[in-house]
Amino acid sequence: MRPRAGRLIVAAVHTGAVLLTLGGLSSTLWHGVDDPATALAFAVLIGLGELTRRAGTAPAALPVLAEPRERDPAPTTAAGSLAYALLGENAGHPAHHGVLQTAAVVGLAAGLGALPHVLRGRGPELDHLARGILSVGFAAFCFQPFADETPLAVRLGQGPSYALLLILLMLLTALCDAVLAAALRRSRAVPRGALRGAGGGPPVPAVPFAPLFRDELRGLVGIGSAVCATGAVMALGVAAVGLWALPVFAVPLLLAQVSFRRYAAVRTTNRETIASLARATEVAGCTRPGHAHRVAALGRAVGRELGLAGTELTVLAYAALMHDIGQLSLVDPVPGGATAPLPAAEQRRIALLGGAVVRQTGVPPAVAVVVERQADPYEEQPLAARIVRAVNAYDELAADDGGSAALERLRRGTARDYHPDVVEALARVLARGGPATVPAGPALGPATAAGPAGPAIPEPAGTPATPVTTGETSGGTPSATAGARGGVAPVPPG
């Protein structure tokens, strides 16, 4: 996928959602609203869910720890929209609102509910709204023909066959949403010029679609499956007892949404604590400024390249942020904070000290295991530890020798220190531009130990790469680009 193709896919999804909504509104205004009371009731439910959405939840200061499925949870909106798309009857009376009215009600209600958030500058991502409208339109397109009184619809409209039909449609809708989400994330992960090849070399493959798709499918197992089931049960409840079923289901959904917001607040606090611990080594002058965040962002991109997703990526990001925390226990700091040139025994000692500290922070034990084993021979390491070791060494070496030389040194160390698959995955990520960078603040801690001030703090994979020139060297001369100092600029794979 070329960068232009990625932008076209994003534009196509957004345009499709807008056209479907406008087409639905035009058709509804022209032919009139079918069952206005039902349409209004569902519109209020969808708008209320969007209004109470936890907007702007991904912490801007910690993008590397943001999870795709945690950014904009609105179960009330999703369940209400799906219920309206799967509504065949209202208290025993057939519903014939069709696909276009479904899209009109969902699009208009979601847009009005999101308007206050937009005015405050904390509106939901357009990708989420577009995916929701298209997925609901797909569900309505598949279901509404069965709402007509055809022989096939009459045969499937009762008993176990109807339940199986709803389950099948929910699975197809969830699959459609996962495909759209993965395609949008992949499109936004393609940096400009990524596939031209560095230095005139061969084109580099785009971000793999399969790991992103698996990530979306895993996200559906939790809250996604509950939302789909609630939407189907809500449609069955309205078919049996009428619109009185909506408040019965809406109250638990709204309470669940409030509980999710509190849970997210706890997660945010936990992330900020981890980020503070990661900065402790910089404040103490043990590591270069931004080193932990660069390793976490680049390591996460490499992990996704190798097929990690969900909890595995979270463990990798946590371990990468705290991989150097063992240096705080040293009497004599490591010069420049670079552990890659140290003897293997000293590296393992620092890793074990770091693991002991991590176990006191309350993070999952798997994070401490990765930190402890990052200095082991790669045949004995879990995949996350292999990634942390390789990316950490790359960032340390690139700060002094440049990206190309650092990558070549890693390739020469694949006999024992660095796993060949991890090094080649790192090369592919770097050749695509690596994680995007943003300017950081001034250096913290002693300049002589921390190195150049103001390095670039990377964003997670999935945003366009833009090399940025930031900061100055301790001698007052302009520094090189962020990629040359932090190891995120395009680097030839060979």
Side-chain angles (χ1 to χ4, degrees), residues 56-66 268 271-272 274-276 279 293 321 438-439 457-460:
T57 57
L62 298 169
V64 72
L65 296 181
T268 300
R271 290 169 178 170
E272 290 174 349
I274 292 172
S276 299
R279 291 294 299 273
H293 282 255
L321 280 173
V438 296
I457 304 296
E459 297 277 357

Side-chain angles (χ1 to χ4, degrees), residues 218-301:
R218 291 179 183 180
L220 290 172
V221 175
I223 187 67
S225 59
V227 167
C228 290
T230 303
V233 174
M234 189 183 298
L236 293 174
V238 173
V241 302
L243 296 177
W244 288 108
L246 289 184
V248 174
F249 288 100
V251 171
L253 281 174
L254 291 173
L255 292 176
Q257 195 159 324
V258 171
S259 300
F260 199 99
R261 292 177 65 177
R262 293 180 177 177
Y263 167 75
V266 173
R267 289 289 300 271
T268 300
T269 302
N270 196 22
R271 290 169 178 170
E272 290 174 349
T273 301
I274 292 172
S276 299
L277 289 172
R279 291 294 299 273
T281 56
E282 301 172 17
V283 174
C286 296
T287 59
R288 300 173 189 266
H291 169 72
H293 282 255
R294 287 195 299 272
V295 173
L298 191 53
R300 186 163 180 152

Side-chain angles (χ1 to χ4, degrees), residues 96-109:
H96 301 290
H97 48 272
V99 179
L100 291 179
Q101 182 172 316
T102 300
V105 170
V106 171
L108 183 61

